[in-house]
Amino acid sequence: MKPKITVFGEMLWDMLPSGKQPGGAPMNVAIHLKNFGMNPAFISRVGDDDLGVELMEYLHTKGLDTNFIQTGITHLTGIVKVNLTDKTEVTYKIVQPVAWDYIQATPENKRLVMDSDVFVYGTLSVRSQQSRETLFELLKDAKLKVFDVNIRPPHLERAATEHLMLQADVVKVNEHELHTVCSWFGIQPELETQMKFLYERFNLQLVCVTLGAEGAMVLSHDGFHKQAGYEVEVQDTIGSGDSFLAMFLKEYILGSTIASALKKACAVGALVASHRGATPNISESELDHFLTVNQ
């Protein structure tokens, strides 16, 4: 039996210079989990508009379960204006309020989370009261809780972020987000010191830090694990961290060693960065070939 995974959060359109592309970190994570052979459920909300219909059709083409995606008539489907001036450090202007700010807690999605083995959630969905209250409610029923920190200024509230961290079993951050969170507590910007602080302060099972082209590090009960990055020709880094999390999570919950999970996750993140867009379908054969070539 495959573990049951539920992902919660935003789904939207990234408005790029070349045109719009489906996006939102939780949606990207769910799609990559599906691509990697898992069968996640996704809790979100779209508007009753053409962009919402188009997003739902896109998820159907990806084979993703859309039974827990709500449709609202008051607010439009989310959009984000993306700045790709620096390919390795993408910036975002996120429109507010939109449909995913109003995700409702329902008996159906509460039961879904209760029945799931893993619950994945992020930072951005707590920018609004309705989705924040829903997420806090669902976290009460979750088992293994995976917090994907996605700090998108100005959509950042320290108290809510700390609450989400306290709920988590596993935290995934990039190095900039790690520095931001640790700066709240006056922790000096030394990577291992900051990772150890998070691990102990929030009583975590795992802290995973992505380091861009430099790879990633994990701190667990048996110490630090480091994986170097893989060199590719970067098209854009949108979705790289999301694909990393999906692959690492899949390998971790299926019992792989952290070293093996990190290696595959870093390889997938690099492969996604070598494509345009957040959710290219990276096949097992493409991944195996890439790892063979880059041994």
Side-chain angles (χ1 to χ4, degrees):
M1 292 283 290
K2 292 177 184 175
K4 293 182 180 178
I5 304 174
T6 296
V7 183
F8 176 96
E10 65 273 13
M11 59 187 297
L12 47 85
W13 288 100
D14 285 327
M15 299 301 186
L16 306 170
S18 57
K20 70 181 190 297
Q21 291 190 0
M27 188 182 82
N28 295 341
V29 170
I31 290 171
H32 284 297
L33 282 166
K34 182 68 177 179
N35 287 347
F36 302 150
M38 308 305 284
N39 195 29
F42 181 40
I43 299 172
S44 190
R45 191 175 182 93
V46 294
D48 183 20
D49 52 28
D50 290 344
L51 287 178
V53 170
E54 203 174 340
L55 259 186
M56 293 292 279
E57 288 174 350
Y58 174 76
L59 292 187
H60 285 301
T61 68
K62 293 291 187 177
L64 200 65
D65 180 357
T66 59
N67 289 325
F68 299 93
I69 297 174
Q70 302 162 10
T71 301
I73 59 173
T74 309
H75 298 92
L76 299 174
T77 298
I79 62 170
V80 173
K81 295 168 185 176
V82 182
N83 187 335
L84 289 173
T85 305
D86 182 348
K87 288 183 180 180
T88 62
E89 198 62 48
V90 181
T91 56
Y92 305 87
K93 183 177 180 182
I94 307 170
V95 175
Q96 183 181 14
V98 292
W100 58 260
D101 287 310
Y102 297 90
I103 303 171
Q104 309 288 315
T106 66
E108 291 76 21
N109 59 31
K110 284 180 63 106
R111 190 159 52 249
L112 172 70
V113 172
M114 199 176 298
D115 291 342
S116 295
D117 301 294
V118 183
F119 183 59
V120 184
Y121 60 97
T123 317
L124 196 53
S125 57
V126 298
R127 71 176 185 173
S128 65
Q129 182 177 351
Q130 177 62 69
S131 289
R132 178 170 62 243
E133 289 177 356
T134 297
L135 177 54
F136 286 3
E137 183 67 25
L138 294 178
L139 280 165
K140 295 175 184 177
D141 296 321
K143 297 187 179 82
L144 182 71
K145 291 167 275 192
V146 179
F147 181 24
D148 181 18
V149 180
N150 274 289
I151 293 178
R152 300 283 184 262
H155 309 284
L156 175 65
E157 185 184 315
R158 175 175 172 175
T161 305
E162 283 190 48
H163 179 78
L164 295 178
M165 197 82 71
L166 282 164
Q167 298 300 307
D169 301 302
V170 174
V171 168
K172 176 249 172 191
V173 293
N174 66 33
E175 55 186 323
H176 305 300
E177 293 158 346
L178 177 67
H179 295 335
T180 296
V181 172
C182 287
S183 71
W184 298 340
F185 302 92
I187 306 302
Q188 294 302 308
E190 197 279 317
L191 186 62
E192 292 191 4
T193 300
Q194 292 186 336
M195 291 176 70
K196 189 174 181 186
F197 170 77
L198 275 199
Y199 182 80
E200 293 175 348
R201 172 72 172 74
F202 296 100
N203 192 29
L204 300 168
Q205 293 180 20
L206 282 179
V207 176
C208 182
V209 182
T210 55
L211 305 169
E214 301 303 311
M217 285 185 70
V218 166
L219 174 59
S220 68
H221 69 92
D222 59 350
F224 288 94
H225 308 260
K226 174 77 187 283
Q227 172 63 48
Y230 295 94
E231 193 170 327
V232 294
E233 185 175 336
V234 174
Q235 296 296 323
D236 67 57
T237 57
I238 302 172
S240 289
D242 306 326
S243 66
F244 172 96
L245 176 59
M247 178 57 79
F248 182 85
L249 190 54
K250 173 202 168 183
E251 293 294 307
Y252 178 67
I253 62 179
L254 291 180
S256 292
T257 64
I258 289 175
S260 175
L262 260 182
K263 187 173 186 177
K264 281 192 168 185
C266 284
V268 162
L271 282 169
V272 168
S274 72
H275 292 72
R276 292 193 186 280
T279 53
N281 193 350
I282 307 299
S283 67
E284 285 283 348
S285 59
E286 184 178 358
L287 176 60
D288 290 344
H289 176 72
F290 183 81
L291 286 169
T292 300
V293 170
N294 288 278
Q295 280 183 344

